[in-house]
Amino acid sequence: MLRCWPPSRLYHELTIWPPRPPRVVDFATRPCVGSAKPVWQKWGTLLVRWLQRRSPWQAVACMLMPIALANLLKLICVYWTVQGRWFVGAALYVTLKTLEFGCVALIEQACRPTLRTVKLYRVVYLLIARIRRWTNRQLRPWRRWWSAVRADFFSKPN
């Protein structure tokens, strides 16, 4: 048997993944032809192209809009939590944070070259990067200690 490294995709699918019915394989591997793209892919492509054409301050405004909208809706979460509907408030809060993070990440990724021309964005971005580096330096001894504790705890007795 001929062996090659890295294993091909077909070899990987045949050995690792269980076989799928033919129609599922056909649907998953069929190439998109012309306008056969799903609607959400078309809309996503159009949205990213639209975001990439924004001026620097328009990109900042586009990035701040989901944050502002989510913060307004978080007041509803607080109201429901105070009224005693804590489960609904917590579920809505988690959903809003997830959507906010996803929207801001998409907008930041699409507008990154434009956003980096704004001095305020660069200052905040570098400040956050500096804080993350400082935090990682502070946590390094604790990580070493924790890995040693795990190694001792999970080591097999002789």
Side-chain angles (χ1 to χ4, degrees), residues 54-156:
R54 299 299 97 203
S55 69
W57 289 104
Q58 286 175 339
V60 170
C62 287
M63 196 165 136
L64 292 178
M65 269 193 316
I67 296 171
L69 182 64
N71 283 337
L72 289 175
L73 293 174
K74 285 178 201 172
L75 293 175
I76 296 172
C77 299
V78 172
Y79 174 75
W80 281 345
T81 304
V82 169
Q83 293 298 319
R85 295 185 240 167
W86 60 271
F87 185 76
V88 176
L92 182 61
Y93 184 82
V94 169
T95 304
L96 284 173
K97 286 301 276 186
T98 305
L99 290 174
E100 176 188 357
F101 176 74
C103 290
V104 170
L106 174 84
I107 293 168
E108 200 271 335
Q109 184 178 8
C111 299
R112 185 174 292 157
T114 308
L115 284 170
R116 290 199 175 159
T117 61
V118 178
K119 184 172 178 149
L120 177 65
Y121 177 81
R122 280 196 318 262
V123 168
V124 171
Y125 187 85
L126 292 174
L127 176 69
I128 291 171
R130 192 176 301 131
I131 291 170
R132 288 185 67 195
R133 282 193 307 269
W134 178 83
T135 306
N136 284 334
R137 278 195 313 270
Q138 301 303 314
L139 291 176
R140 218 173 278 145
W142 292 102
R143 286 187 185 132
R144 277 192 228 115
W145 173 80
W146 180 244
S147 64
V149 167
R150 278 189 318 192
D152 289 343
F153 184 75
F154 290 112
S155 64
K156 293 181 180 179

Side-chain angles (χ1 to χ4, degrees), residues 9-75:
R9 178 179 172 182
L10 180 63
Y11 172 78
H12 182 71
E13 286 183 0
L14 290 176
T15 57
I16 305 297
W17 302 104
R20 294 175 284 197
R23 64 182 181 280
V24 175
V25 172
D26 180 48
F27 178 74
T29 58
R30 182 181 44 196
C32 293
V33 180
S35 64
K37 275 186 172 179
V39 173
W40 61 86
Q41 285 183 352
K42 289 180 186 177
W43 289 351
T45 305
L46 290 173
L47 177 66
V48 168
R49 285 185 188 151
W50 182 82
L51 286 170
Q52 288 172 343
R53 291 192 309 259
R54 299 299 97 203
S55 69
W57 289 104
Q58 286 175 339
V60 170
C62 287
M63 196 165 136
L64 292 178
M65 269 193 316
I67 296 171
L69 182 64
N71 283 337
L72 289 175
L73 293 174
K74 285 178 201 172
L75 293 175

